[in-house]
Amino acid sequence: MGLHSGKTTAEKLAVKNGITFYRINSGKFKTSRADVFFVDNLSKERASGNAILPLMMKRGCESYPSVQALEGKLEELYGADINAGVTKKGELQFIGFHMSHISDRYTNGERLFDQCSDLLMCMLEKPLIEKDGFKESLFRQERDNMVDYIRSRVNDKLRFSLSRCIEEMCADEPYSIPEDGTEEDVLLLDPQNTLALYQQMIKTYPAYVYISGEVDDKSIQRFIDQFMATVDRGNIKKINPTNVNKDIKEVRKIDEQMDISQGKLCMGFRTFVEPTSEEYYPLVVYNGILGGDAHSKLFRNVREKASLAYYAQSVLEKYKGLMIIMSGIEAGNRGKAEDIILKQVEAMKKGDIAKKDIEATLKSLETGMKTMQDGQGAIVDFFMSQHLTESGEDFDSMIEKLKAVTLDDVVKVAQKVQLDTIYFLKPEGSRNEEETI
Amino acid sequence: MNYRTLTFDKLGETIYEYDHKTGLKVFLAKKAGYNKKTAMFGTNYGSMDSVFKVQGNDKEIHVPDGIAHFLEHKLFEQEDGNMLDKFTSLGASPNAFTSFSQTVYYFSCTDLFEDNFRMLLDYVQNPWLTDENVEKEKGIIGQEIRMYEDNADWRVFFNLLDCLYVNHPVKIEIAGTIESILKINKELLYDCYNTFYTPSNMAVVVVGDFEPESIFSIVDEMIQFKNTGKVEKKYPDEPKEINIEYKEQKLAVSMPLFNMGVKDIAKVSGFELLKRRIALGIALYHTLGRSSDLYSRLYDEGLINDSFHFDVSINKNYGYLAWGGQSPDPKKTADIISETIAEVKSKGIGQEAFDRIRKSQEGMFIRSLNSVDNIAREIMDSYFNDTNYFDVGKAYSQIDIDYTNSVFREVFENQTALAVINPL
């Protein structure tokens, strides 16, 4: 062991054919990985199509033309893994492909990176196609699965209420589009138009590659030389910045009913803070004090003092400048819970913040930044975010910026935060009248 | 200071093991290069310990469902404030979990480990319960229970356990029910605490880049258990037969959801348990995994999707294999799976598949060593199952295809059961 355990860095290796290659330096992991991201502007027209692409890639490729063949090969490679899927950050959609395998020191001399990256390249560059479209039978299955998947969003009540809140809050903004699109847009997909979209992805979407773990220079060079080498990527698409501003005329209140036991309250706020602005760091601290950890105002007041909830927390969407407060409560306690939550938001604006709370938050954020470096995937995600916003920060510099935040900075940000939408997913048949104190 | 050092050269890992004079077992897994440090203090006591004799009393008591989990919540509360607050004020991230057979308190941090570690060892030894703070917790846990009532994956899993088990308390809801927690009071909580929070029934696990003496001397300084009684656990005999074949519930979901499974009533522990767990893992992976004929068939027929998963849980006092996911037709899916299981039982696993899956599973084990949290949990779990975490490698090399086929056949002599959640 004793590989460099110091600073975690991302070193730019090459920009080639419209693809930026990075190497993550951190030697403590037992696995090596390659993470590939294609980036697109989040749009109604392409969100569903982009989302079905990784599903099609996972069905196999020329050399391993079925899931069974592909998975069998991965098993032979000591349980190597290739996963793929879409995520959204702000108003951008990411199509990610993630390959990982155990390091060669554990394989009795077998070298895995070249073999696994060949498999990854095969999936990406030689998917299962017939005539001018994706293989029809596979395509139909994946389209059906996507429809089922989108419908099953309702199964997870917390995530469902969160995404409904965001859909309503950002109704006329691209951010309202779910990361894997909508059922009606999935149904517009066919093998031909999806293959055309695939061509757009590999030819025109900006692409980033991160290689991490114990991979030797020769294998890295081989990867850079071969990855997408035959694809003409001369015309890379422009990516739009996410808009964090919007005029809030009045607070929207949306109640929906479902046959459930627990009501889910989601309160959507806008912070009007860009991820690249200096105000971003005070915002992170603000969110931590208000609803981050067990020391936060929401946890203390909604859960510990009033016993209204098991969870009461706030989360930031960094790129869109949103803050959502969530809590699961009895329907009859809804008014009480809203009051307590809004009082905490008000207290933040007034600067009613104990010194020990700001200190605890700063420490907890520092711990978070340090432990993030113990997760190989988390490191990739961190640097991806930095490269996306061209922030140039690394873990250490970000910790310094957070530690420099003062109470005044937090209060200044608190002034900007505005309530936009209150969404409540309400148990059917629950009492409509609210308890009054 | 006397401790044992176990090094695993091939994996580059070292574990130190220390026996405190009270009988408390202490482990340190050294993790070089990691920022994160974690410590767990756990008791081999969980939701299934519902009937027991309180020390000094010959009569068995039957406690309300969910009491182990309730006690977990309450230990965080101390006379001078909430422990969650104290840990977070030092930049640590504290938490706890209650499972069928364990209650574990832990934190992770990057700095000030020793201060946090002292706090952990201190508060778990010193409950502070009042009638008032016990009552207050009922609202919070009530909402936790409500949250699980709406969670279809959780519901279908507990419905399966209810199908499989006739007597065994593993089928009891971990958090209890809204009704059962109302019966919990301070006295009952102390009875549970005094019975199960004793050093011989507990363990401490630390993972991080530490020297062993520095950790074990803090344990020496902080461990002062007054109560050093032995815990006698007794679980009812579980018959071979299942409780019910099929259970159905309706919830607000988009399409049916199923869990199917079989129980393992063999009583094994130690190295045999490890071997059995790994062999059943290989056999089940072979039967249901993404490279299996069955998976392809079910997927191609649209009977399962990406949500399909399976789990092998083989422990000292209970064991089951469970699998499931979304399906438009759970009964048809279950029938096809049953046919395939019968086929695998009669034909056995082929050598090529066995070698390939064993290699893959061993790779997964090595991969799991990336995670500090996972290592800590596994060491605790291994100790409470009387197994040795780093014997996993040895177990992989010792199991063969005949053993694997025989345990698979043995377990599937028992009947399977099916639980389904249908949309409203």
Side-chain angles (χ1 to χ4, degrees), chain A residues 1-7 25-31 103 105-106 213-215, chain B residues 12 32-34 209:
Chain A
M1 300 267 88
L3 296 146
H4 47 142
S5 51
K7 211 170 154 73
N25 294 311
S26 180
K28 63 193 168 198
F29 299 109
K30 299 215 170 333
T31 42
S103 301
R105 65 168 71 204
Y106 310 115
E214 291 176 51
V215 187
Chain B
Y34 276 69
D209 200 351

PDB file of all heavy atoms in Angstrom, chain A residues 1-7 25-31 103 105-106 213-215, chain B residues 12 32-34 209:
ATOM      1  N   MET A   1       0.854  -1.195   0.000  1.00  0.00           N
ATOM      2  CA  MET A   1       0.000   0.000   0.000  1.00  0.00           C
ATOM      3  C   MET A   1       0.887   1.241   0.000  1.00  0.00           C
ATOM      4  O   MET A   1       1.928   1.251  -0.609  1.00  0.00           O
ATOM      5  CB  MET A   1      -0.923   0.000   1.222  1.00  0.00           C
ATOM      6  CG  MET A   1      -1.836  -1.199   1.267  1.00  0.00           C
ATOM      7  SD  MET A   1      -3.458  -0.945   0.515  1.00  0.00           S
ATOM      8  CE  MET A   1      -3.224  -1.352  -1.191  1.00  0.00           C
ATOM      9  N   GLY A   2       0.460   2.253   0.740  1.00  0.00           N
ATOM     10  CA  GLY A   2       1.275   3.445   0.821  1.00  0.00           C
ATOM     11  C   GLY A   2       1.350   4.192  -0.500  1.00  0.00           C
ATOM     12  O   GLY A   2       2.303   4.900  -0.781  1.00  0.00           O
ATOM     13  N   LEU A   3       0.378   3.981  -1.331  1.00  0.00           N
ATOM     14  CA  LEU A   3       0.304   4.767  -2.562  1.00  0.00           C
ATOM     15  C   LEU A   3      -0.071   6.185  -2.156  1.00  0.00           C
ATOM     16  O   LEU A   3      -0.511   6.407  -1.041  1.00  0.00           O
ATOM     17  CB  LEU A   3      -0.760   4.178  -3.466  1.00  0.00           C
ATOM     18  CG  LEU A   3      -0.396   2.765  -3.906  1.00  0.00           C
ATOM     19  CD1 LEU A   3      -1.621   1.908  -4.054  1.00  0.00           C
ATOM     20  CD2 LEU A   3       0.376   2.800  -5.205  1.00  0.00           C
ATOM     21  N   HIS A   4       0.097   7.127  -3.082  1.00  0.00           N
ATOM     22  CA  HIS A   4      -0.089   8.501  -2.605  1.00  0.00           C
ATOM     23  C   HIS A   4      -1.471   8.732  -2.010  1.00  0.00           C
ATOM     24  O   HIS A   4      -2.485   8.549  -2.648  1.00  0.00           O
ATOM     25  CB  HIS A   4       0.238   9.546  -3.672  1.00  0.00           C
ATOM     26  CG  HIS A   4      -0.377   9.266  -5.005  1.00  0.00           C
ATOM     27  ND1 HIS A   4      -0.880  10.227  -5.802  1.00  0.00           N
ATOM     28  CD2 HIS A   4      -0.564   8.115  -5.662  1.00  0.00           C
ATOM     29  CE1 HIS A   4      -1.342   9.683  -6.910  1.00  0.00           C
ATOM     30  NE2 HIS A   4      -1.148   8.411  -6.842  1.00  0.00           N
ATOM     31  N   SER A   5      -1.436   9.078  -0.729  1.00  0.00           N
ATOM     32  CA  SER A   5      -2.688   9.247  -0.009  1.00  0.00           C
ATOM     33  C   SER A   5      -2.895  10.725   0.294  1.00  0.00           C
ATOM     34  O   SER A   5      -3.677  11.085   1.143  1.00  0.00           O
ATOM     35  CB  SER A   5      -2.644   8.449   1.288  1.00  0.00           C
ATOM     36  OG  SER A   5      -1.457   8.762   1.985  1.00  0.00           O
ATOM     37  N   GLY A   6      -2.173  11.579  -0.389  1.00  0.00           N
ATOM     38  CA  GLY A   6      -2.278  13.011  -0.122  1.00  0.00           C
ATOM     39  C   GLY A   6      -3.440  13.634  -0.861  1.00  0.00           C
ATOM     40  O   GLY A   6      -4.576  13.215  -0.743  1.00  0.00           O
ATOM     41  N   LYS A   7      -3.146  14.640  -1.624  1.00  0.00           N
ATOM     42  CA  LYS A   7      -4.157  15.418  -2.321  1.00  0.00           C
ATOM     43  C   LYS A   7      -4.843  14.608  -3.422  1.00  0.00           C
ATOM     44  O   LYS A   7      -4.190  13.884  -4.168  1.00  0.00           O
ATOM     45  CB  LYS A   7      -3.427  16.606  -2.947  1.00  0.00           C
ATOM     46  CG  LYS A   7      -4.215  17.868  -3.076  1.00  0.00           C
ATOM     47  CD  LYS A   7      -3.220  18.974  -3.475  1.00  0.00           C
ATOM     48  CE  LYS A   7      -3.914  20.085  -4.243  1.00  0.00           C
ATOM     49  NZ  LYS A   7      -4.758  20.913  -3.386  1.00  0.00           N
ATOM     50  N   ASN A  25      -6.171  11.109  -9.526  1.00  0.00           N
ATOM     51  CA  ASN A  25      -5.064  10.557  -8.755  1.00  0.00           C
ATOM     52  C   ASN A  25      -5.497  10.291  -7.327  1.00  0.00           C
ATOM     53  O   ASN A  25      -5.717  11.202  -6.543  1.00  0.00           O
ATOM     54  CB  ASN A  25      -3.882  11.529  -8.772  1.00  0.00           C
ATOM     55  CG  ASN A  25      -3.329  11.656 -10.167  1.00  0.00           C
ATOM     56  OD1 ASN A  25      -3.075  10.648 -10.831  1.00  0.00           O
ATOM     57  ND2 ASN A  25      -3.194  12.886 -10.639  1.00  0.00           N
ATOM     58  N   SER A  26      -5.650   9.022  -7.011  1.00  0.00           N
ATOM     59  CA  SER A  26      -5.964   8.591  -5.657  1.00  0.00           C
ATOM     60  C   SER A  26      -5.732   7.092  -5.651  1.00  0.00           C
ATOM     61  O   SER A  26      -6.394   6.357  -6.364  1.00  0.00           O
ATOM     62  CB  SER A  26      -7.413   8.915  -5.307  1.00  0.00           C
ATOM     63  OG  SER A  26      -7.667   8.489  -3.992  1.00  0.00           O
ATOM     64  N   GLY A  27      -4.759   6.651  -4.881  1.00  0.00           N
ATOM     65  CA  GLY A  27      -4.296   5.273  -5.044  1.00  0.00           C
ATOM     66  C   GLY A  27      -4.814   4.266  -4.051  1.00  0.00           C
ATOM     67  O   GLY A  27      -4.354   3.142  -4.013  1.00  0.00           O
ATOM     68  N   LYS A  28      -5.793   4.647  -3.225  1.00  0.00           N
ATOM     69  CA  LYS A  28      -6.110   3.747  -2.111  1.00  0.00           C
ATOM     70  C   LYS A  28      -7.189   2.715  -2.432  1.00  0.00           C
ATOM     71  O   LYS A  28      -7.449   1.845  -1.617  1.00  0.00           O
ATOM     72  CB  LYS A  28      -6.546   4.595  -0.925  1.00  0.00           C
ATOM     73  CG  LYS A  28      -7.791   5.399  -1.166  1.00  0.00           C
ATOM     74  CD  LYS A  28      -7.965   6.444  -0.074  1.00  0.00           C
ATOM     75  CE  LYS A  28      -9.033   7.435  -0.449  1.00  0.00           C
ATOM     76  NZ  LYS A  28      -8.968   8.662   0.329  1.00  0.00           N
ATOM     77  N   PHE A  29      -7.807   2.830  -3.595  1.00  0.00           N
ATOM     78  CA  PHE A  29      -8.961   1.967  -3.866  1.00  0.00           C
ATOM     79  C   PHE A  29      -8.568   0.596  -4.407  1.00  0.00           C
ATOM     80  O   PHE A  29      -7.508   0.429  -4.988  1.00  0.00           O
ATOM     81  CB  PHE A  29      -9.917   2.664  -4.825  1.00  0.00           C
ATOM     82  CG  PHE A  29     -10.445   3.947  -4.278  1.00  0.00           C
ATOM     83  CD1 PHE A  29     -10.030   5.169  -4.804  1.00  0.00           C
ATOM     84  CD2 PHE A  29     -11.319   3.949  -3.200  1.00  0.00           C
ATOM     85  CE1 PHE A  29     -10.496   6.372  -4.284  1.00  0.00           C
ATOM     86  CE2 PHE A  29     -11.787   5.135  -2.671  1.00  0.00           C
ATOM     87  CZ  PHE A  29     -11.383   6.354  -3.217  1.00  0.00           C
ATOM     88  N   LYS A  30      -9.466  -0.357  -4.231  1.00  0.00           N
ATOM     89  CA  LYS A  30      -9.221  -1.706  -4.704  1.00  0.00           C
ATOM     90  C   LYS A  30      -9.747  -1.910  -6.124  1.00  0.00           C
ATOM     91  O   LYS A  30      -9.661  -3.000  -6.676  1.00  0.00           O
ATOM     92  CB  LYS A  30      -9.878  -2.710  -3.754  1.00  0.00           C
ATOM     93  CG  LYS A  30      -9.322  -2.632  -2.330  1.00  0.00           C
ATOM     94  CD  LYS A  30      -9.269  -3.972  -1.682  1.00  0.00           C
ATOM     95  CE  LYS A  30      -8.521  -4.063  -0.382  1.00  0.00           C
ATOM     96  NZ  LYS A  30      -7.450  -3.134  -0.122  1.00  0.00           N
ATOM     97  N   THR A  31     -10.311  -0.848  -6.661  1.00  0.00           N
ATOM     98  CA  THR A  31     -10.895  -0.939  -8.001  1.00  0.00           C
ATOM     99  C   THR A  31     -10.327   0.139  -8.924  1.00  0.00           C
ATOM    100  O   THR A  31      -9.845   1.166  -8.462  1.00  0.00           O
ATOM    101  CB  THR A  31     -12.433  -0.746  -7.918  1.00  0.00           C
ATOM    102  OG1 THR A  31     -12.704   0.309  -6.998  1.00  0.00           O
ATOM    103  CG2 THR A  31     -13.128  -2.000  -7.446  1.00  0.00           C
ATOM    104  N   SER A 103      -8.643  -4.145  -9.039  1.00  0.00           N
ATOM    105  CA  SER A 103      -7.298  -3.828  -9.527  1.00  0.00           C
ATOM    106  C   SER A 103      -6.524  -5.111  -9.854  1.00  0.00           C
ATOM    107  O   SER A 103      -6.755  -6.166  -9.255  1.00  0.00           O
ATOM    108  CB  SER A 103      -6.532  -3.047  -8.472  1.00  0.00           C
ATOM    109  OG  SER A 103      -7.235  -1.868  -8.178  1.00  0.00           O
ATOM    110  N   ARG A 105      -3.710  -6.162  -9.102  1.00  0.00           N
ATOM    111  CA  ARG A 105      -2.923  -6.823  -8.060  1.00  0.00           C
ATOM    112  C   ARG A 105      -3.688  -7.984  -7.406  1.00  0.00           C
ATOM    113  O   ARG A 105      -3.108  -8.791  -6.693  1.00  0.00           O
ATOM    114  CB  ARG A 105      -2.466  -5.825  -7.015  1.00  0.00           C
ATOM    115  CG  ARG A 105      -3.615  -5.220  -6.232  1.00  0.00           C
ATOM    116  CD  ARG A 105      -3.123  -4.466  -5.013  1.00  0.00           C
ATOM    117  NE  ARG A 105      -2.435  -3.236  -5.386  1.00  0.00           N
ATOM    118  CZ  ARG A 105      -1.549  -2.639  -4.618  1.00  0.00           C
ATOM    119  NH1 ARG A 105      -1.222  -3.175  -3.457  1.00  0.00           N
ATOM    120  NH2 ARG A 105      -0.991  -1.518  -4.985  1.00  0.00           N
ATOM    121  N   TYR A 106      -4.996  -8.036  -7.612  1.00  0.00           N
ATOM    122  CA  TYR A 106      -5.799  -9.103  -6.996  1.00  0.00           C
ATOM    123  C   TYR A 106      -6.206 -10.191  -7.992  1.00  0.00           C
ATOM    124  O   TYR A 106      -7.052 -11.027  -7.698  1.00  0.00           O
ATOM    125  CB  TYR A 106      -7.059  -8.516  -6.348  1.00  0.00           C
ATOM    126  CG  TYR A 106      -6.773  -7.347  -5.451  1.00  0.00           C
ATOM    127  CD1 TYR A 106      -7.245  -6.071  -5.756  1.00  0.00           C
ATOM    128  CD2 TYR A 106      -5.993  -7.511  -4.299  1.00  0.00           C
ATOM    129  CE1 TYR A 106      -6.951  -4.982  -4.942  1.00  0.00           C
ATOM    130  CE2 TYR A 106      -5.699  -6.437  -3.481  1.00  0.00           C
ATOM    131  CZ  TYR A 106      -6.172  -5.175  -3.816  1.00  0.00           C
ATOM    132  OH  TYR A 106      -5.883  -4.107  -3.007  1.00  0.00           O
ATOM    133  N   GLY A 213      -7.918   4.923 -10.401  1.00  0.00           N
ATOM    134  CA  GLY A 213      -7.407   3.657  -9.881  1.00  0.00           C
ATOM    135  C   GLY A 213      -6.028   3.348 -10.432  1.00  0.00           C
ATOM    136  O   GLY A 213      -5.382   4.195 -11.040  1.00  0.00           O
ATOM    137  N   GLU A 214      -5.600   2.119 -10.179  1.00  0.00           N
ATOM    138  CA  GLU A 214      -4.253   1.721 -10.598  1.00  0.00           C
ATOM    139  C   GLU A 214      -4.248   1.275 -12.054  1.00  0.00           C
ATOM    140  O   GLU A 214      -4.338   0.092 -12.354  1.00  0.00           O
ATOM    141  CB  GLU A 214      -3.768   0.558  -9.734  1.00  0.00           C
ATOM    142  CG  GLU A 214      -3.500   0.922  -8.299  1.00  0.00           C
ATOM    143  CD  GLU A 214      -3.114  -0.310  -7.498  1.00  0.00           C
ATOM    144  OE1 GLU A 214      -2.219  -1.054  -7.926  1.00  0.00           O
ATOM    145  OE2 GLU A 214      -3.744  -0.530  -6.464  1.00  0.00           O
ATOM    146  N   VAL A 215      -4.182   2.252 -12.956  1.00  0.00           N
ATOM    147  CA  VAL A 215      -4.148   1.925 -14.376  1.00  0.00           C
ATOM    148  C   VAL A 215      -2.818   2.431 -14.921  1.00  0.00           C
ATOM    149  O   VAL A 215      -2.453   3.580 -14.685  1.00  0.00           O
ATOM    150  CB  VAL A 215      -5.313   2.619 -15.135  1.00  0.00           C
ATOM    151  CG1 VAL A 215      -5.366   2.131 -16.570  1.00  0.00           C
ATOM    152  CG2 VAL A 215      -6.632   2.372 -14.434  1.00  0.00           C
TER     153      VAL A 215
ATOM    154  N   GLY B  12      -4.016  -6.702   1.355  1.00  0.00           N
ATOM    155  CA  GLY B  12      -3.427  -5.491   1.915  1.00  0.00           C
ATOM    156  C   GLY B  12      -4.226  -4.923   3.072  1.00  0.00           C
ATOM    157  O   GLY B  12      -4.305  -3.704   3.241  1.00  0.00           O
ATOM    158  N   ALA B  32      -5.369   2.403   5.593  1.00  0.00           N
ATOM    159  CA  ALA B  32      -4.379   3.441   5.283  1.00  0.00           C
ATOM    160  C   ALA B  32      -4.865   4.325   4.144  1.00  0.00           C
ATOM    161  O   ALA B  32      -5.499   3.853   3.204  1.00  0.00           O
ATOM    162  CB  ALA B  32      -3.049   2.793   4.919  1.00  0.00           C
ATOM    163  N   GLY B  33      -4.584   5.596   4.258  1.00  0.00           N
ATOM    164  CA  GLY B  33      -4.867   6.516   3.160  1.00  0.00           C
ATOM    165  C   GLY B  33      -6.275   7.073   3.151  1.00  0.00           C
ATOM    166  O   GLY B  33      -6.593   7.957   2.364  1.00  0.00           O
ATOM    167  N   TYR B  34      -7.156   6.557   4.004  1.00  0.00           N
ATOM    168  CA  TYR B  34      -8.530   7.064   4.034  1.00  0.00           C
ATOM    169  C   TYR B  34      -8.657   8.221   5.016  1.00  0.00           C
ATOM    170  O   TYR B  34      -8.033   8.221   6.077  1.00  0.00           O
ATOM    171  CB  TYR B  34      -9.500   5.945   4.436  1.00  0.00           C
ATOM    172  CG  TYR B  34      -9.909   5.071   3.264  1.00  0.00           C
ATOM    173  CD1 TYR B  34      -9.001   4.226   2.652  1.00  0.00           C
ATOM    174  CD2 TYR B  34     -11.197   5.132   2.762  1.00  0.00           C
ATOM    175  CE1 TYR B  34      -9.375   3.436   1.574  1.00  0.00           C
ATOM    176  CE2 TYR B  34     -11.586   4.346   1.683  1.00  0.00           C
ATOM    177  CZ  TYR B  34     -10.668   3.506   1.094  1.00  0.00           C
ATOM    178  OH  TYR B  34     -11.046   2.744   0.026  1.00  0.00           O
ATOM    179  N   ASP B 209      -7.188   4.831   9.957  1.00  0.00           N
ATOM    180  CA  ASP B 209      -5.729   4.747   9.907  1.00  0.00           C
ATOM    181  C   ASP B 209      -5.154   4.986  11.312  1.00  0.00           C
ATOM    182  O   ASP B 209      -4.664   6.062  11.608  1.00  0.00           O
ATOM    183  CB  ASP B 209      -5.233   5.809   8.905  1.00  0.00           C
ATOM    184  CG  ASP B 209      -3.829   5.493   8.426  1.00  0.00           C
ATOM    185  OD1 ASP B 209      -3.209   4.572   8.993  1.00  0.00           O
ATOM    186  OD2 ASP B 209      -3.371   6.161   7.487  1.00  0.00           O
TER     187      ASP B 209
END
